Amino acid sequence: DVHHRSLLQALMRFNSHRSTENIREKPGYVIIDAEGYIPDHILGTVLSFISRSNLYEDGTILVALAYTLTGDIHLSSRVCGHRSDINLRSLLEKVTSVVGGQIGGHNLAAGGVVKADKEDELLSVLDSVLSESLAVQETASEHREPVSHEKPL
């Protein structure tokens, strides 16, 4: 069927673009600038497939951008694996507070729309917000007390 074919083509295009500048794979997150090679109406579904694969470590944040038919940029985000301590909606709110746009969603899946003329700024702000967020998470986890499962005497 047409929908399955579209998904398969989008996943194959993603895979073929992994070694290009369109896919920024960083420790803890990946930014996919899908331009026109992944249609915006299946962007979230493609990210869901990628997030459930073994391609990236649990907790890796995936954010993809694709052009809409109206010329805007559709954002979609997912978290790989089963982490529940990451709030994607909050991260995208930080991004849109700088570049403008609208977002929606929840902790593990969020998306939105940004004006196309903001693409360069959007990519830069996404990179900053994601790297800062991961640095804060690492610092917080370093300061947590280890949990002891021993019973007191």
Side-chain angles (χ1 to χ4, degrees):
D1 113 315
V2 174
H3 185 69
H4 288 110
R5 231 185 340 253
S6 294
L7 287 172
L8 182 58
Q9 287 174 343
L11 289 166
M12 289 174 19
R13 288 183 189 134
F14 162 78
N15 195 48
S16 69
H17 282 83
R18 282 192 66 203
S19 59
T20 70
E21 63 188 28
N22 291 71
I23 299 180
R24 302 171 186 193
E25 295 178 326
K26 307 265 179 115
Y29 67 95
V30 178
I31 299 173
I32 304 164
D33 187 358
E35 294 180 338
Y37 71 86
I38 298 176
D40 74 292
H41 65 278
I42 61 171
L43 194 60
T45 306
V46 169
L47 277 189
S48 291
F49 275 105
I50 296 168
S51 72
R52 291 185 181 107
S53 72
N54 291 325
L55 199 54
Y56 299 108
E57 292 181 26
D58 275 7
T60 299
I61 299 169
L62 305 175
V63 180
L65 297 70
Y67 296 118
T68 66
L69 292 176
T70 60
D72 292 326
I73 297 171
H74 175 195
L75 287 172
S76 188
S77 61
R78 300 290 186 275
V79 176
C80 293
H82 302 287
R83 294 270 306 265
S84 61
D85 60 331
I86 297 170
N87 188 331
L88 293 176
R89 181 186 173 103
S90 175
L91 289 174
L92 291 185
E93 283 174 346
K94 289 177 186 176
V95 172
T96 56
S97 73
V98 176
V99 300
Q102 300 173 340
I103 61 111
H106 50 85
N107 291 8
L108 301 178
V113 178
V114 173
K115 294 290 181 194
D117 63 351
K118 298 286 189 170
E119 183 175 11
D120 291 338
E121 184 181 9
L122 173 62
L123 289 166
S124 175
V125 172
L126 265 173
D127 209 15
S128 295
V129 167
L130 291 169
S131 60
E132 288 170 14
S133 172
L134 291 169
V136 168
Q137 285 179 0
E138 285 178 20
T139 302
S141 67
E142 289 172 5
H143 295 301
R144 287 189 195 123
E145 292 293 322
V147 176
S148 173
H149 297 287
E150 295 178 14
K151 294 181 180 178
L153 296 176

